Amino acid sequence: MAQTAQPLPPEPSVPLSPASEAVTPRFRFLPAVNTWKYHLLLATVAILILGPLGGVAASYMNFSLGFFVASQVLSGILGSVVTYGYGAEGKHGANYMQTMAASVASLCAMSVLIQAMVWLGMPQPPAWQLMLFVGCVGMFGVGVGMLYTPLLVDRLQLDYPSGYAVANILRALTDKRLLKASIAKLGGGTGLGILAALLTEKVARVAALSVSSSTVGAGMVVGSRITVPAMCMGILGFALTPYLRDIGWLGPNDPYRKIGFLISLAMICGAALVDLALLAVQAVARIRGQAQAPVDDEPSWKKVNVPRLIAWVVGWGAAVVVVATQVLHQPAGFIIFGLALSVLFVLINGIAYGISDNNPISSAFVMSVLLMSLLGLKDPLVGLMASSILLISTSVGCDMQQDRSTGWRLGTNRVLQFRYQVLGIFMGAVLCVALARVFMGAYPVLSVNQLDHPDTKVGQWGSAMTYKFVGAIRDLGALSEHKVKALLVGLGIGFTLEVLRKIIRRHPAYLRFVQGSRTGFAVGYAMDSVVLASPYASAFGGFIALPATIWFGAGGVLTSLFNTASKRFARPPAPGETVLPEDMSTMSLVGGGLIAGESLFYLFVGLYGLLALLG
């Protein structure tokens, strides 16, 4: 697995411990930590205020812009206001609230699935049936996401840049000492993020640059050994575009990513096959008692009852099948196939999300349609329902992993965080269907199929994600040969690269060479970033447009240059000076601020646009 420039620390700086229960709130009206009144306060604020706030914004953005910004940043900031009276311990309460609110927002964004049903002229089931289906799939998805947390967060230590940013925000806003030392960096990055987003919206020349402060910020967090491979993949795809058009893999005006996302997803699959095989061997060794550390050494806040979690996944998977077949009258075979794909893609998308801050949920949806088409499915309703399982699961499951990465840094109790997320799924399932009906009822243009009526004046309702879903569903039963070849090419590249990386990067002579001199360091950097770059990192270049990969790469290069200069001119801390934790470095704070700034801007744009329409 690729190593990031700024790995997670061995343990969170302030782990949750029994001593935390004795914290006395600064204000008398606040309930004591970890009492039922405390959790009631947090859950009420999150599910009645923060969750719906982020949910409405997410739905509006998906209906209008075709993408949505999860509400972790906004919820984390507002949650910190609620828990400020608990001091540094308040970061855990704020984390619980942002976890619940993010679950609501992630499911509300899935309201475009109902819009896709309308575009395709499908009969609309009663609202309660759709809520039941979405809720069951959401419960299944968070369970699968939790199963992969020990692998992706604890073992592979992926950054999850937005989760990284939220952790820094919560620590800074609830701890006066850290806030004083980090406010200029975090606040400056947030201000730059808001300004950049505003200029992008208002100034044509800036918009032409396709600059995204959150993309730059994510690159700053993960470092150049992750961002440079993505940038190289994007540049390579751009260079190959004329050739791909000549051989018929792309249309005359199609960009590389129209076929690149298939190659990238297959690359991740190929690399994941290698890692999963190695993990299986290690699991057998652990079962035989050869594990290096006993299970009892695991901190209490990390512990999860794995058998109970597996039972959760199996139980809710069965519930999805029952609801889909008995209530919605779908065939069991493809519903089970959708569940099986979800187990795979929550891992694949989780790796992509953890490295690049990009969760390719729409690409996973399209991939599932292609695979079902390969199996002979031609019914669009069945395809949409089965693929929606994958879409919802990858959305909430990867969101679960990102929230756990935040909890990893803070030392937040995982079981409690899981319970908050589950409550958010209940509210999100209800709001998802309700908001879809409200929006399409208030704005009839949302019900117009833009593929069939391209001349319709849609105003701000571009519905780009719905456009992609409906276009993919219409390809059912007509899987082209070149798409199959693209999948096989990506699978082969990813598998081969990861095998070579595992062999070469573990060879003692190679390790001595790259660690022994500046020349060795340069060779190691070139190998990691270009020659044998991580397939997980490179794949990001196939998911998004070339300008975004350039900005992502620029952020990583900026971090590497800054860190190199900082080491050369570093000075020892002055007496009494607050030293920030290692994972609250200057670049991580500024990068996290850029992510926060753009997220806040677009969330407020969504809310303002909705209020303006209602007014």
Side-chain angles (χ1 to χ4, degrees), residues 290-316:
Q290 299 176 3
Q292 294 181 354
V295 177
D296 291 340
D297 285 357
E298 188 175 53
S300 59
W301 60 268
K302 271 188 181 182
K303 290 184 177 179
V304 176
N305 189 316
V306 176
R308 188 177 297 176
L309 185 58
I310 292 174
W312 173 283
V313 172
V314 173
W316 282 108

Side-chain angles (χ1 to χ4, degrees), residues 297-388:
D297 285 357
E298 188 175 53
S300 59
W301 60 268
K302 271 188 181 182
K303 290 184 177 179
V304 176
N305 189 316
V306 176
R308 188 177 297 176
L309 185 58
I310 292 174
W312 173 283
V313 172
V314 173
W316 282 108
V320 171
V321 175
V322 170
V323 171
T325 57
Q326 302 303 312
V327 179
L328 297 174
H329 309 294
Q330 300 299 304
F334 283 103
I335 295 299
I336 295 172
F337 183 67
L339 291 170
L341 283 180
S342 299
V343 173
L344 174 63
F345 275 90
V346 170
L347 172 63
I348 293 172
N349 281 37
I351 292 171
Y353 203 15
I355 289 177
S356 64
D357 209 36
N358 173 64
N359 184 5
I361 58 174
S362 58
S363 296
F365 179 93
V366 174
M367 175 71 86
S368 68
V369 173
L370 293 176
L371 292 176
M372 285 186 286
S373 179
L374 188 64
L375 294 174
L377 179 64
K378 296 183 179 180
D379 187 325
L381 178 57
V382 175
L384 181 63
M385 297 303 292
S387 298
S388 67

Side-chain angles (χ1 to χ4, degrees), residues 72 95 98-103 106 153 160 163 166 353 396-410 412 417 421:
Q72 280 97 336
N95 193 25
Q98 71 86 13
T99 295
M100 182 184 289
S103 295
S106 292
V153 176
Y160 290 93
V166 172
Y353 203 15
V396 300
C398 295
D399 181 64
M400 157 76 73
Q401 294 159 10
Q402 176 172 273
D403 290 337
R404 273 344 137 263
S405 75
T406 301
W408 199 101
R409 296 179 182 280
L410 302 179
T412 302
Q417 203 173 0
Q421 191 137 26

Side-chain angles (χ1 to χ4, degrees), residues 1 57 117 156 203 213-214 303 321 385 449 455 468 471 473 591:
M1 178 59 58
M117 295 177 70
L156 300 183
V203 181
S213 56
S214 65
K303 290 184 177 179
V321 175
M385 297 303 292
N449 187 334
D455 297 330
K468 182 185 294 186
I473 290 293

Side-chain angles (χ1 to χ4, degrees), residues 4-60:
T4 59
Q6 298 173 14
L8 292 169
E11 291 291 344
S13 55
V14 188
L16 186 65
S17 65
S20 66
E21 298 180 3
V23 172
T24 302
R26 294 170 179 166
F27 310 114
R28 291 184 178 180
F29 62 85
L30 290 175
V33 172
N34 287 339
T35 62
W36 70 268
K37 292 181 179 179
Y38 170 79
H39 290 293
L40 179 62
L41 170 65
L42 303 185
T44 300
V45 173
I47 207 164
L48 296 181
I49 300 176
L50 302 183
L53 187 69
V56 169
S59 289
Y60 172 84

